[in-house]
Amino acid sequence: MQALVLDNTDGKTLASLKTLTTDDLPAGNVLVDVLWSGLNYKDALAITGKGKIIRNFPMVPGIDFSGTVHHSEDPRFHTGQQVILTGWGVGENHWGGLAQQARVNSEWLVPLPDGLDPRKAMIIGTAGFTAMLCVMALEDGGVTPQSGEVLVTGASGGVGSTAVALLKALGYRVVAVSGRESNEAYLKALGAERVLPRSEFSADARPLEKQVWAGAIDTVGDKVLAKVLAQMDYNSTVAACGLAGGYLLPTTVMPFILRNVRLQGVDSVMTPQTRRQEAWKRLAQLLPESFYHQAATEISLDKAAEVAAALLENKVTGRTLVKVR
Ligand code: NDP
């Protein structure tokens, strides 16, 4: 079987396509024939070596995949069953989805819900799953379609674009923030009513600014998130899941103590199984057919390293789908 393998020589990460056997795979109680994987921001950091994602080499990257069960020692899964895997450190410290087979722990697998096929599941991928968790965080915070406009930052990215589509499907009025003017039509087609330039959110924020947003999903962090927080309505919620613009947060306590703003962190890696299954079920129900046509670029395994570099240069729009077999 073919696998993208990362090695480390003199502190440099080298990615190459190799032929492996099933015996090379790490321990686990389910062997999956991988059909589709995705290329996420974290994968791009791992593959290029630009982020300290991987500590033990050799490593097969790929933090998400879909496929069919080849063999299972857990009676809850049977041969031929379609499954999804995202998170749990797979592709970081356990060999991941950018290979034609993966051996994993059955506790990490989600049975493919009705309404999805393995390709659609990976168009959604970790990014879309995270977007759903962010929407659920806004719902938990009491944000409804009647509350007002909801902002999505880093909107052209995998998380942002799915968040726009999900919010639209739920009846929210969505405003997208993007650094790419050329993506305005794309974002409006996904469901954004308006698209604001990222430059409007890049300047230093005052502690409190005019109240504009009933909810926000932030994939960017740093000054952009600080600006968003300063503009939130009284009693609103921000779901923060990303750091595409940096990991700092130059803000003050003012939005929290004077406007009752709730900042909810979102992690998709260790999400408990029940919430995972609920999120996947809702994704299957909510995303319109058009989403699967608009938001994905398909590549083969041998192109993964090249596209990873382009992704870090912000030259990729939406999800990158890797056809593994
Ligand atoms: P993408 O690279 O697909 O998208 C990120 C988007 O952010 C870009 O498309 C761009 O959108 C915007 N952006 C890029 N660079 C900058 C910058 N320097 N300053 C401001 N905005 C920028 O990534 P994903 O959508 O897959 O992930 C988004 C973030 O969420 C990442 O930081 C990722 O690590 C994180 N993440 C977190 C997860 C979790 O479990 N918490 C799970 C998945 C992802 P535009 O051009 O429209 O501005």
Side-chain angles (χ1 to χ4, degrees):
M1 62 147 163
Q2 297 272 289
L4 186 72
V5 180
L6 304 181
D7 289 296
N8 191 278
T9 317
D10 301 330
K12 278 200 179 139
T13 302
L14 292 173
S16 55
L17 208 56
K18 291 190 179 170
T19 304
L20 304 178
T21 69
T22 306
D23 291 342
D24 295 321
L25 294 172
N29 58 355
V30 184
L31 179 66
V32 180
D33 290 331
V34 178
L35 296 173
W36 299 93
S37 188
L39 211 56
N40 299 277
Y41 194 79
K42 203 187 252 178
D43 294 318
L45 288 174
I47 293 168
T48 58
K50 290 201 171 137
K52 289 273 165 285
I53 303 292
I54 291 168
R55 303 196 186 273
N56 297 312
F57 294 88
M59 178 61 63
V60 172
I63 64 165
D64 50 20
F65 64 79
S66 61
T68 52
V69 172
H70 187 97
H71 173 75
S72 174
E73 286 162 25
D74 181 335
R76 289 174 299 176
F77 292 94
H78 60 265
T79 302
Q81 184 173 358
Q82 297 183 314
V83 289
I84 311 169
L85 189 145
T86 70
W88 299 115
V90 172
E92 298 180 60
N93 46 44
H94 184 100
W95 286 15
L98 290 171
Q100 290 176 324
Q101 284 190 320
R103 188 155 33 216
V104 297
N105 184 336
S106 56
E107 304 293 330
W108 303 337
L109 292 169
V110 172
L112 193 81
D114 287 345
L116 287 184
D117 59 40
R119 186 174 183 277
K120 282 182 171 174
M122 269 310 104
I123 293 177
I124 297 169
T126 297
F129 172 61
T130 306
M132 189 71 241
L133 295 177
C134 287
V135 171
M136 286 159 72
L138 295 191
E139 292 173 340
D140 292 348
V143 183
T144 69
Q146 288 69 45
S147 308
E149 288 184 321
V150 175
L151 192 71
V152 177
T153 66
S156 316
V159 178
S161 56
T162 317
V164 170
L166 287 169
L167 289 165
K168 168 74 180 173
L170 285 163
Y172 288 89
R173 283 186 291 136
V174 192
V175 178
V177 180
S178 176
R180 284 177 274 182
E181 218 175 292
S182 55
N183 279 351
E184 181 163 343
Y186 163 72
L187 292 168
K188 284 189 169 163
L190 280 175
E193 277 188 5
R194 295 187 284 137
V195 181
L196 301 176
R198 191 196 298 160
S199 54
E200 275 190 27
F201 291 80
S202 306
D204 289 339
R206 280 178 276 131
L208 292 173
E209 299 188 1
K210 188 172 169 236
Q211 298 182 40
V212 193
W213 315 112
I217 293 178
D218 178 67
T219 70
V220 171
D222 208 353
K223 285 186 178 178
V224 171
L225 177 53
K227 192 74 161 180
V228 170
L229 284 166
Q231 297 183 356
M232 295 308 295
D233 285 350
Y234 190 87
N235 217 18
S236 57
T237 295
V238 180
C241 72
L243 72 177
Y247 65 85
L248 296 176
L249 180 51
T251 190
T252 72
V253 296
M254 293 310 198
F256 310 111
I257 65 172
L258 294 182
R259 291 192 180 155
N260 218 50
V261 170
R262 174 166 166 176
L263 178 59
Q264 178 63 56
V266 172
D267 165 63
S268 67
V269 177
M270 305 303 287
T271 308
Q273 191 58 246
T274 324
R275 194 153 171 100
R276 251 172 217 275
Q277 293 190 10
E278 187 196 342
W280 278 105
K281 206 168 133 195
R282 291 192 67 194
L283 283 158
Q285 289 162 350
L286 284 171
L287 290 171
E289 199 53 36
S290 57
F291 172 81
Y292 300 102
H293 303 299
Q294 279 161 348
T297 313
E298 199 174 301
I299 62 166
S300 51
L301 200 51
D302 60 331
K303 290 279 182 299
E306 187 184 319
V307 178
L311 201 144
L312 290 189
E313 287 165 23
N314 206 24
K315 289 180 182 156
V316 176
T317 295
R319 273 291 281 176
T320 303
L321 199 59
V322 185
K323 190 173 194 312
V324 178
R325 51 166 83 219

